[in-house]
Amino acid sequence: MIMKKLFTFFIIFIFTLAAVHAEPDIKGYDEFDIPTGSFIPVINLQEFSTAYNDETDTLHFVSTNDIYLYEHKIIPSGTKFSGYIEKKNEPIIGTHAAMKIFINSMELPDGYKLPIKGYLYTANDNTFGGGITEPETYIKVPHYHRGIVRNFMGVIQFRPGPTRKMGEHITIASGADLLIVLVAPIHMTHLPLED
């Protein structure tokens, strides 16, 4: 009889310890921040260009990888992002067209939406295009250098002329691999559903 009570007490004690030390299921209620400067790899779902898109067009992207913060999957692959062209410069003589894409919303696969602040990343201050065009003409310039036998030998070099070609529009093809860089932290109060 004492052994039965002791065995029952021992089993209850083990289950109580297991329940106390088990990690509680806080899915959907845990709050955390995705820090500023985080990169999110995405692909774009439609072609866009400075030639035919303007600031009113909504651009759509989808994440290609699962993003983890410690052991939690915070942004699963398949998350949709939306944005628009924040700034667009038309091509001119000497400079190609340029555009800057602002990302303003994120929708997780389970339908949870939240606003974000980010840009499509480029090393050129997050601006696509804007480079200098090719020279329209080249000028021949003789260049002399001294040989080993102290004879002057010359070569003709080409240097850019004073004028440049007309700039071209920039186009980002559908399915291009891009990166979103966050410029403000995302305060998330929701963890996506696990597969």
Side-chain angles (χ1 to χ4, degrees), residues 103-119:
I103 306 299
N104 60 357
S105 71
M106 175 174 81
E107 180 181 351
L108 297 172
D110 60 6
Y112 184 75
K113 294 182 183 179
L114 68 155
I116 65 170
K117 292 182 181 178
Y119 287 97

Side-chain angles (χ1 to χ4, degrees), residues 33-84:
D33 286 334
I34 301 173
T36 301
S38 297
F39 288 100
I40 303 168
V42 295
I43 59 171
N44 60 325
L45 298 178
Q46 80 278 2
E47 179 178 274
F48 56 93
S49 173
T50 56
Y52 47 81
N53 289 102
D54 57 17
E55 289 82 2
T56 61
D57 297 337
T58 302
L59 306 175
H60 300 283
F61 309 89
V62 66
S63 65
T64 57
N65 295 338
D66 293 330
I67 307 296
Y68 288 87
L69 183 65
Y70 304 112
E71 70 276 358
H72 297 292
K73 184 193 305 183
I74 54 173
I75 301 176
S77 63
T79 301
K80 297 175 186 173
F81 295 88
S82 298
Y84 59 90

Side-chain angles (χ1 to χ4, degrees), residues 26-32 112 114 186-191:
I26 56 174
K27 183 178 288 189
Y29 301 100
D30 194 17
E31 294 184 13
F32 56 91
Y112 184 75
L114 68 155
I186 301 174
H187 183 70
M188 292 191 68
T189 57
H190 175 81
L191 282 175

Side-chain angles (χ1 to χ4, degrees), residues 16-184:
T16 304
L17 281 179
V20 169
H21 291 295
E23 185 175 321
D25 184 17
I26 56 174
K27 183 178 288 189
Y29 301 100
D30 194 17
E31 294 184 13
F32 56 91
D33 286 334
I34 301 173
T36 301
S38 297
F39 288 100
I40 303 168
V42 295
I43 59 171
N44 60 325
L45 298 178
Q46 80 278 2
E47 179 178 274
F48 56 93
S49 173
T50 56
Y52 47 81
N53 289 102
D54 57 17
E55 289 82 2
T56 61
D57 297 337
T58 302
L59 306 175
H60 300 283
F61 309 89
V62 66
S63 65
T64 57
N65 295 338
D66 293 330
I67 307 296
Y68 288 87
L69 183 65
Y70 304 112
E71 70 276 358
H72 297 292
K73 184 193 305 183
I74 54 173
I75 301 176
S77 63
T79 301
K80 297 175 186 173
F81 295 88
S82 298
Y84 59 90
I85 299 174
E86 182 181 71
K87 182 180 178 185
K88 179 174 107 170
N89 295 334
E90 294 291 332
I92 58 173
I93 294 175
T95 307
H96 294 296
M99 62 181 160
K100 197 169 192 174
I101 311 298
F102 183 74
I103 306 299
N104 60 357
S105 71
M106 175 174 81
E107 180 181 351
L108 297 172
D110 60 6
Y112 184 75
K113 294 182 183 179
L114 68 155
I116 65 170
K117 292 182 181 178
Y119 287 97
L120 285 186
Y121 175 76
T122 67
N124 185 24
D125 191 31
N126 302 326
T127 302
F128 289 90
I132 194 166
T133 62
E134 292 291 321
E136 194 168 40
T137 59
Y138 287 91
I139 300 170
K140 294 179 182 179
V141 177
H143 177 72
Y144 298 101
H145 62 279
R146 210 176 253 218
I148 297 175
V149 292
R150 299 196 187 267
N151 293 336
F152 287 101
M153 300 180 70
V155 294
I156 299 291
Q157 289 185 333
F158 291 90
R159 71 173 178 83
T163 59
R164 297 261 173 195
K165 292 181 180 178
M166 180 66 182
E168 297 177 358
H169 286 283
I170 179 121
T171 301
I172 308 298
S174 176
D177 289 321
L178 303 166
L179 285 173
I180 294 174
V181 60
L182 298 177
V183 294

